[in-house]
Amino acid sequence: MAEQPDPAPAPESVAPSADAGHQWSRLSPRMLLVHPVREIVRFVPVLVGLFVAGSGSDGFGRFVGPLLGVLVAIVAGVGRWFTTTYRLTPEAVEVRSGLFSRKQHTAATERVRSVDVTAQPVQRVLGLATVKISTAGQDALDLDGLPAEEAADLRSRLLHHARQLAAEDPTVAPNDVPTGHETPPEEELYRLRPKWALYAPFTLGGLLAAVAVLGFGLNVVVELDLWDSTLSGAVDSVQRWGIAAAVAVLAAVVLVTCVVLSISTYLTSNWGFRVTRDANGRSLHIARGLLTTRSQSLEIARVRGVEVRRGIPSRWVGAASVRAVTSSTDTTDAAATGSHATLCPLSPLPVAEATAAALYPEARTPVESNGTVAVRRRYARAAFGGVLLAAAAVGAGRWFDHLTLGLVGGGVLLVCSVLLGHARARNLGHALTRHHLVSRTGALTVATTLLEQDATVAVATRQTWFQKRAGVCTLQVATAGGGESYRLLDIPTHRAEEIADEVLRTVRESARARRRDGSPVRPNWAATSATASARTG
Amino acid sequence: MAEQVSDTAHELAPRPTVLREPARRVSPRAKWMWALSELIGAVIGAAIVTFVWSRDWIPDFWFHLGFGFFVLEGLLGALVLPWWRYKVHRWEVTDDAVHTQRGRFVVERRIAPMVRIQTVDTERGPLAQLFGLSTVTVTTASASGELKIEGLDRAEADDLAQQLTVLAAVDGGDGT
């Protein structure tokens, strides 16, 4: 399959110093220390839970079960270490594992899509890392416990090799690889500033939690009839206010704890978040982490788009996050789901947009509305849904003899529905450029997605009788990655035709040309190659 | 093979719009297949409702409602729906794409560029076999990018599958 000529035949005996030679070796023995620590750390919450659950009837007997479980897990981890061996060759990474059933996993170097290097705190102390190699058409390969330098070597070698194939450079032999310690100049696309952690509490979950806490506090206050001044004597008014104050303080404490927790979670997982693109522009590196460091490298050719996401309430304070749309890893499995890679955690909107634009300059294209019909239909649907919800709430209120609560709840639901419909209507939009398509949708989370047109695998339109009367339809673009399909809602039919034409034309053109990275276009059926070659040309 | 291609390819130059209604219909026998399938479904539903009612697990009102619903569904499904589906369900193969149109209440048109097709499957369910029909499924790299043509005459379906296999194997690059 490799098209590039190999000038120097590489005999198996020539072992470059970069890898561990061509014999099978075990993972680092220091992992024997890591496995017990890992399992014990996992055991700690159980321990705490059992402690808090109070003294049981059998005293410390209740710890026996979980302790045995931890021991078994440790033994299993150590057993895995004993039975796992790996081998690095220029063509592939091979792993043999399994106690009873020996399995061999091979990851061919040229099919590597992304390489993740993760190091937990214990591993970092011992100078180890875990390498996860994702390839096309297979499950990811795990090397749990390589020395850190070897892990870095391996990653740069795998990606460098992929780049070589891409560049079709006949002067560079496959074995002539640099050691992993030299770092070519790279372009930084994003760097986290710690103060952005202040955006962390502004998530939908946080908002709901805050509302719940406040609602609970208010409920308690109301229940105690503190506003009823006719009550006297029996309950001292100072006492009542004291209770109110206590409830307020409790609510405040809970809120502050939630805020602190969310900020610290943000910091521990996103500390040092940095996205860089290497000098050739062929791979993207995403590194982050405070205690557990994660470093993910993926080929830019697998990135098919970018998505800027603004949620509630974070967009009210001007924050957004960005993720890359990556194509699925399995070319043969039509049902394989694509995936996303986070490029920016919650950050200021200008920074997020700049990161997206650094990857795709077209991300800055202004988005145009889907049309008046689309706006009208969003409001109509929101109103309809809101009325239904409100009716259900009122009905429930009547059923449970809480009519006022039902009415209030129904009113709130209706208002929320209409507000969401308004948000949806306002944020609906799309844009078409020469090679890209932008779609913006959402109410709670507004996502502006930019896709490469040639990532499209199919185009569909859906039209109900109502849409037909209004002269609109919904255009759906199916892609091999990311969310699998993206919809442009209620756009005028002629616009849908324009967009479909443009997208399919781009797909045709890109298929005719060679791939960007120069690799030959792969045929899908080997069996029909005879007929195919008769038709090609 | 070349003759078959030019038979179904109506144009060699790209058309101004791709979202037109596809030209070809499926086999008229598909109407019978759909009618039978709906009828069977309705009969099973009514049978279940009757069984549940005969055991006194539901009151009379629900039985009448359920039974009436299935009777109505059966009538509509057997008399009206197949004719409508036959009218809507269309397909076409051009030099660079496969087009389908289908739907009951929502009309859906799908286009899969030839270069993105991964597999072409032909399947025959029990009812389809009764009427000598097949379903052709064209898959791409996305689960949402699947095109189905139901109720094709069996020979026609086999021809189509073969033709698509040849046409799609020429190009590559499935979009991933």
Side-chain angles (χ1 to χ4, degrees), chain A residues 113 302 304 327-328 330-336 453-465 467 475-476 478-480 483-485 493 496-497 500-501 504 507-508 510-512 515 521-525 528 531-532 535-536, chain B residues 1-2 5 13-20 95-99 102 105-120 139-147 162 164-176:
Chain A
R113 303 281 180 130
R302 298 302 147 210
R304 314 313 300 271
S327 64
S328 57
D330 193 333
T331 59
T332 54
D333 178 9
Q453 280 177 22
D454 70 357
T456 307
V457 294
V459 172
T461 57
R462 292 171 63 86
Q463 197 177 46
T464 63
W465 180 77
Q467 283 178 307
L475 185 72
Q476 187 175 329
T479 62
E484 294 285 304
S485 80
T493 319
E497 287 174 356
D501 269 346
L504 291 173
V507 166
R508 269 203 311 271
S510 74
R512 276 199 212 110
R515 287 251 191 86
V521 182
R522 300 188 299 261
N524 281 334
W525 284 281
T528 51
T531 348
R535 271 189 64 100
T536 330
Chain B
M1 214 45 72
V5 168
R15 284 210 188 171
T17 73
V18 288
L19 283 179
R20 69 200 180 292
D95 255 353
D96 37 52
V98 178
H99 303 243
R102 47 188 292 144
F105 306 113
V106 179
V107 174
E108 190 187 67
R109 287 185 190 160
R110 286 204 183 179
I111 307 164
M114 208 61 78
V115 297
R116 293 285 185 252
I117 295 177
Q118 284 195 332
T119 70
V120 180
T139 67
T140 60
S142 167
S144 345
E146 195 182 73
L147 277 72
Q162 209 171 7
L164 282 179
T165 307
V166 169
L167 281 175
V170 171
D171 318 290
D174 48 15
T176 55

Side-chain angles (χ1 to χ4, degrees), chain A residues 156-523:
Chain A
S156 70
R157 200 159 64 82
L158 286 173
L159 291 176
H160 185 90
H161 193 85
R163 288 203 296 274
Q164 275 177 357
L165 276 178
E168 268 191 356
D169 187 354
T171 60
V172 183
N175 288 335
D176 181 16
V177 294
T179 58
H181 295 294
E182 68 173 55
T183 40
E186 49 188 15
E187 178 197 348
E188 187 177 275
L189 301 180
Y190 173 86
R191 180 193 281 272
L192 179 86
R193 306 231 184 292
K195 69 177 186 221
W196 295 339
L198 293 174
Y199 287 127
F202 293 94
T203 60
L204 194 62
L207 183 69
L208 287 174
V211 167
V213 166
L214 285 172
F216 171 74
L218 240 111
N219 199 28
V220 168
V221 163
V222 166
E223 289 281 321
L224 290 179
D225 280 329
L226 290 166
W227 313 120
D228 189 353
S229 52
T230 60
L231 269 180
S232 61
V235 181
D236 191 57
S237 66
V238 172
Q239 259 187 327
R240 271 186 274 149
W241 286 110
I243 296 174
V247 166
V249 165
L250 185 65
V253 163
V254 167
L255 277 175
V256 167
T257 316
C258 284
V259 165
V260 166
L261 264 177
S262 60
I263 291 180
S264 55
T265 316
Y266 183 102
L267 283 175
T268 39
S269 62
N270 294 325
W271 187 265
F273 204 117
R274 216 172 148 242
V275 178
T276 53
R277 177 164 51 191
D278 70 338
N280 309 352
R282 302 231 177 262
S283 52
L284 217 54
H285 304 274
I286 306 168
R288 61 182 175 96
L290 183 62
L291 298 173
T292 302
T293 51
R294 269 169 241 276
S295 163
Q296 185 184 13
S297 308
L298 44 104
E299 282 185 66
I300 283 207
R302 298 302 147 210
V303 174
R304 314 313 300 271
V306 78
E307 191 171 273
V308 175
R309 300 166 68 78
R310 289 157 44 227
I312 284 181
S314 49
R315 68 172 181 257
W316 295 337
V317 290
S321 64
V322 179
R323 59 187 193 182
V325 174
T326 57
S327 64
S328 57
T329 52
D330 193 333
T331 59
T332 54
D333 178 9
T337 50
S339 57
H340 299 101
T342 307
L343 292 179
C344 301
L346 277 179
S347 313
L349 184 61
V351 171
E353 288 178 337
T355 311
L359 216 51
Y360 292 99
E362 298 83 358
R364 292 212 190 269
T365 319
V367 162
E368 64 187 63
S369 162
N370 281 4
T372 48
V373 176
V375 167
R376 211 176 58 214
R377 278 172 60 91
R378 300 278 81 69
Y379 280 121
R381 283 179 143 191
F384 187 63
V387 164
L388 275 181
L389 278 175
V394 171
R398 263 193 72 182
W399 189 272
F400 294 114
D401 281 327
H402 270 284
L403 190 58
T404 39
L405 191 63
L407 280 171
V408 167
V412 165
L413 282 172
L414 184 62
V415 167
C416 282
S417 234
V418 171
L419 284 176
L420 274 180
H422 172 74
R424 202 134 193 245
R426 212 161 49 113
N427 286 308
L428 205 60
H430 71 278
L432 187 70
T433 67
R434 182 79 183 82
H435 289 118
H436 299 85
L437 181 65
V438 179
S439 156
R440 191 163 69 190
T441 59
L444 283 177
T445 305
V446 176
T448 310
T449 314
L450 175 137
L451 286 173
E452 293 174 12
Q453 280 177 22
D454 70 357
T456 307
V457 294
V459 172
T461 57
R462 292 171 63 86
Q463 197 177 46
T464 63
W465 180 77
F466 297 106
Q467 283 178 307
K468 188 161 180 181
R469 265 187 32 164
V472 299
C473 66
T474 297
L475 185 72
Q476 187 175 329
V477 167
T479 62
E484 294 285 304
S485 80
Y486 296 89
R487 299 190 303 167
L488 302 183
L489 296 168
D490 293 326
I491 52 176
T493 319
H494 65 85
R495 182 71 175 139
E497 287 174 356
E498 270 171 36
I499 297 176
D501 269 346
E502 181 66 33
V503 167
L504 291 173
R505 192 164 59 89
T506 309
V507 166
R508 269 203 311 271
E509 280 174 8
S510 74
R512 276 199 212 110
R514 285 310 207 192
R515 287 251 191 86
R516 276 203 308 274
D517 51 8
S519 59
V521 182
R522 300 188 299 261

Side-chain angles (χ1 to χ4, degrees), chain B residues 3 53 70 92 109 121 125 135 158 163:
Chain B
E3 299 79 48
W53 173 70
F70 282 113
E92 192 176 336
R109 287 185 190 160
D121 307 325
T135 300
D158 288 340
Q163 176 192 1

